[in-house]
């Protein structure tokens, strides 16, 4: 009887760990290091907020208009509520007219969870990386994009819950884009001053004399 109780207690302790052992439901893309970071972020998110974050990174060639919500249902048995599922499908078709591919999906287990993160921020964290013109391979961009997007998702949920995460990754792309925007704005003001406002100011000043 005592041994049975011990086994039942151990099972009760270990089962939640097994259920949350991985936050990656499908992986056609990620390198081992990227997958490990995602699981670490997911573990911390769950331990501090009680919300699960899951990832599907697939190279499946989804057709135009493919329903990601319906697609996610075949993974429901592997997910524990409450959760937010992030889907990254770089080979998915967007339109029949344009050859550009790639879709991002965010599927919460309830409508209440939608207010805990910003969909645009999560999507842009992935899209900005993948669309960047640099020497990185598509594989590397996909890995970095998934990492940044999942990190943004986890950070958004954590902020909404009033907690801080230590495993997430700063979104360098977001700050770079912001910095470039500021520089462009300052440059525009400088050009406006040199070629429009300053000459007008000088003419008005000399006219008064």
């Amino acid at each position: 009887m005592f041994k049975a109780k011990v086994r039942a207690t151990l099972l009760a302790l270990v089962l939640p760990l097994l259920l949350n052992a991985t936050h990656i439901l499908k992986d056609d893309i990620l390198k081992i290091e990227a997958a490990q970071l995602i699981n670490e972020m997911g573990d911390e998110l769950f331990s501090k907020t009680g919300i699960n974050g899951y990832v599907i990174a697939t190279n499946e060639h989804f057709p135009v208009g493919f329903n990601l919500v319906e697609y996610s249902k075949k993974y429901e048995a592997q997910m524990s509520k409450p959760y937010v599922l992030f889907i990254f499908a770089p080979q998915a078709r967007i339109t029949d007219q344009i050859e550009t591919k790639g879709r991002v999906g965010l599927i919460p287990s309830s409508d209440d969870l939608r207010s805990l993160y910003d969909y645009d921020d999560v999507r842009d964290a992935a899209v900005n990386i993948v669309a960047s013109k640099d020497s990185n391979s598509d594989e590397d961009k996909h890995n970095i994009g998934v990492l940044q997007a999942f990190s943004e998702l986890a950070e958004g949920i954590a902020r909404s819950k009033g907690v801080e995460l230590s495993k997430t990754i700063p979104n360098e792309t977001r700050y770079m884009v912001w910095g470039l925007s500021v520089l462009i704005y300052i440059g525009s003001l400088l050009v406006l001053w040199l070629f429009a406002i300053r000459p007008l100011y000088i003419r008005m000043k000399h006219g008064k004399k």
Side-chain angles (χ1 to χ4, degrees):
M1 184 68 177
F2 176 74
K3 290 183 178 179
K5 288 183 177 180
V6 170
R7 283 198 294 269
T9 302
L10 289 174
L11 182 61
L13 292 172
V14 172
L15 186 58
L17 296 177
L18 292 175
L19 289 175
N20 293 287
T22 181
H23 299 272
I24 303 171
L25 307 180
K26 181 176 174 60
D27 174 18
D28 300 331
I29 296 168
L30 301 173
K31 297 179 179 179
I32 294 175
E33 296 83 0
Q36 181 178 345
L37 287 172
I38 287 171
N39 280 319
E40 288 177 1
M41 286 188 280
D43 287 342
E44 184 181 25
L45 177 66
F46 178 73
S47 68
K48 292 184 176 181
T49 69
I51 297 173
N52 286 294
Y54 294 104
V55 171
I56 291 177
T58 177
N59 271 329
E60 293 175 87
H61 290 68
F62 297 142
V64 176
F66 185 77
N67 192 321
L68 293 179
V69 175
E70 288 297 319
Y71 170 77
S72 70
K73 288 182 179 179
K74 68 179 183 178
Y75 294 95
E76 282 185 342
Q78 298 173 243
M79 296 186 284
S80 298
K81 295 180 179 180
Y83 67 78
V84 180
L85 170 63
F86 171 68
I87 300 177
F88 182 75
Q91 303 305 324
R93 293 293 302 275
I94 301 175
T95 67
D96 289 321
Q97 292 74 28
I98 303 174
E99 289 299 321
T100 304
K101 297 179 181 179
R103 286 185 63 187
V104 170
L106 277 171
I107 302 170
S109 60
S110 69
D111 290 337
D112 293 339
L113 293 175
R114 295 181 192 277
S115 63
L116 301 183
Y117 58 87
D118 188 306
Y119 171 83
D120 291 335
D121 286 347
V122 177
R123 178 200 61 197
D124 292 347
V127 172
N128 289 342
I129 294 290
V130 175
S132 62
K133 304 295 183 181
D134 53 39
S135 59
N136 287 316
S137 66
D138 288 343
E139 181 186 15
D140 286 338
K141 289 180 182 179
H142 293 165
N143 273 261
I144 297 170
V146 174
L147 274 173
Q148 289 285 183
F150 189 74
S151 176
E152 184 68 39
L153 173 63
E155 281 282 8
I157 295 173
R159 282 194 300 267
S160 298
K161 291 292 186 179
V163 299
E164 293 185 5
L165 302 180
S166 61
K167 302 291 186 179
T168 50
I169 304 167
N171 192 336
E172 300 297 340
T173 302
R174 181 179 59 201
Y175 297 129
M176 287 171 61
V177 171
W178 179 84
L180 288 174
S181 299
V182 171
L183 289 176
I184 291 171
Y185 179 73
I186 293 173
S188 300
L189 289 178
L190 183 61
V191 170
L192 183 64
W193 164 256
L194 289 175
F195 294 100
I197 299 176
R198 186 172 180 273
L200 180 62
Y201 170 76
I202 293 174
R203 284 198 300 270
M204 291 176 64
K205 185 177 180 182
H206 288 169
K208 288 182 178 179
K209 289 182 178 180

